[in-house]
Amino acid sequence: MPAEVIPASALVAHVEADEPEGVLAALSELSDEMRAEAWEVLRRPLSAVLGPDDRAGFTEDGWQRHIRTRALVALAVGPSDIVRRVGAWVLLPEHPSDVDRVLGSRTPHWRGEFTAATLRAFASEPEVGLMGPFWWVWWQELRQRERNGVLCFDPSSADYLVMMIRGLLFSGSIVDAVHADAQLADRAIWSLFEPAPGVQKALLGAERFWDRSNTWRIALVRLALAGVLDDERLADAATIAAGDERMGRNHRAWYRKIPELLADPSRIPEPAEHGAPPAGNQLYRLS
């Protein structure tokens, strides 16, 4: 066997011993063939849903090492739709540099497929309200990797926009989130006015969120009034979308109210005096 290739059994041994450092150290020596072989060996245990019984006998630190090892090896050897197969826990928000290192070890082609498949998995999740604040965590993880160049996204794609809609909705304040990430106002936000059923469905779903002052429609108007978005461009985009018969009637009506709110800001709901309760409470299904 060539020196630069390690056997799949060695990687499996790192997993069984809960050695995340061993997984990371092996990345540069993993061939595509070894990754595929290791996935076939580890596919079932990595795909299994862990419950309380699985945690028995672990200390807190030991359990965290166990999860970290499983996540890293899943990303290192799994297929590009690994998030759909095993869950979003593999993104390890507590260890972003580890995840970036593993993703960087995969081929550009795999990373491209992983990006598309991960967005698709999130965008197709039907229980939006059930996930609550996790949307903001997941969005931040993906957005940070986009900024760092670890993953490349198409910010005009429907799945990206649905993820943005859900993520910022559960950030606590859509307006504040856009203020903190001004690049979104340059391109992605304007793609919200293009016909895409999943995007329009997500925008209408935000209207059913119990905090009426933090819907996407209200946020867009507030951003325009604050000068973050061009108010004339926003009014024009909303007017065009409201007349676009490729969209459903309810979807067109959603856009139609934006120019009305721009013309009469007194109709904009004010935030609750003591702030909004924690995101995820009193939610209807948003999808």
Side-chain angles (χ1 to χ4, degrees):
M1 179 172 294
E4 70 273 10
V5 176
I6 67 169
S9 58
L11 192 62
V12 173
H14 289 310
V15 176
E16 293 176 343
D18 287 335
E19 295 176 344
E21 297 83 5
V23 175
L24 292 171
L27 291 175
S28 62
E29 301 173 345
L30 282 175
S31 68
D32 288 344
E33 292 76 12
M34 290 302 103
R35 293 178 196 264
E37 182 181 341
W39 171 248
E40 287 306 311
V41 174
L42 296 168
R43 176 171 53 86
R44 287 192 176 183
L46 289 176
S47 301
V49 177
L50 298 180
D53 292 343
D54 297 296
R55 190 165 183 166
F58 283 96
T59 64
E60 180 61 29
D61 287 345
W63 180 250
Q64 293 304 319
R65 284 182 63 83
H66 182 65
I67 296 299
R68 182 182 170 204
T69 304
R70 283 167 54 91
L72 294 179
V73 79
L75 289 171
V77 306
S80 57
D81 62 344
I82 189 67
V83 170
R84 179 188 66 81
R85 288 173 180 259
V86 306
W89 60 271
V90 297
L91 296 177
L92 285 179
E94 300 86 358
H95 302 281
S97 61
D98 286 354
V99 172
D100 289 352
R101 184 173 169 185
V102 176
L103 292 176
S105 76
R106 304 301 302 250
T107 65
H109 178 73
W110 185 93
R111 289 199 302 273
E113 290 188 338
F114 170 81
T115 299
T118 300
L119 284 177
R120 180 88 288 267
F122 283 129
S124 59
E125 169 56 53
E127 297 292 347
V128 181
L130 182 64
M131 300 302 175
F134 284 111
W135 289 109
W136 177 232
V137 174
W138 294 330
W139 165 255
Q140 287 179 296
E141 291 174 1
L142 296 179
R143 182 71 175 118
Q144 187 61 38
R145 292 188 173 99
E146 180 183 16
R147 288 199 195 98
N148 294 344
V150 176
L151 299 175
C152 294
F153 296 93
D154 175 4
S156 65
S157 73
D159 287 345
Y160 182 95
L161 295 172
V162 169
M163 189 65 189
M164 180 183 74
I165 291 167
R166 294 175 176 178
L168 271 62
L169 176 65
F170 287 96
S171 69
S173 170
I174 297 170
V175 171
D176 289 348
V178 175
H179 271 291
D181 191 354
Q183 288 183 342
L184 297 177
D186 295 334
R187 181 179 177 187
I189 280 180
W190 299 108
S191 295
L192 296 175
F193 297 87
E194 298 298 325
V199 173
Q200 277 80 53
K201 186 177 180 180
L203 288 171
L204 262 70
E207 297 297 318
R208 297 164 61 188
F209 185 49
W210 62 271
D211 184 357
R212 294 176 58 247
S213 67
N214 187 47
T215 69
W216 266 93
R217 182 164 55 198
I218 295 301
L220 291 172
V221 173
R222 288 189 185 279
L223 288 166
L225 295 175
V228 178
L229 299 177
D230 184 284
D231 57 347
E232 292 186 6
R233 183 182 178 186
L234 179 62
D236 289 344
T239 299
I240 293 172
D244 192 335
E245 294 187 356
R246 292 174 295 175
M247 300 186 194
R249 182 178 61 183
N250 290 340
H251 296 166
R252 297 198 304 271
W254 186 89
Y255 292 103
R256 191 174 298 119
K257 292 183 180 180
I258 290 177
E260 298 173 5
L261 292 170
L262 285 170
D264 185 6
S266 65
R267 298 173 56 189
I268 298 175
E270 292 295 328
E273 183 178 350
H274 301 292
N281 286 353
Q282 305 177 32
L283 284 172
Y284 296 97
R285 286 184 59 176
L286 304 184
S287 59

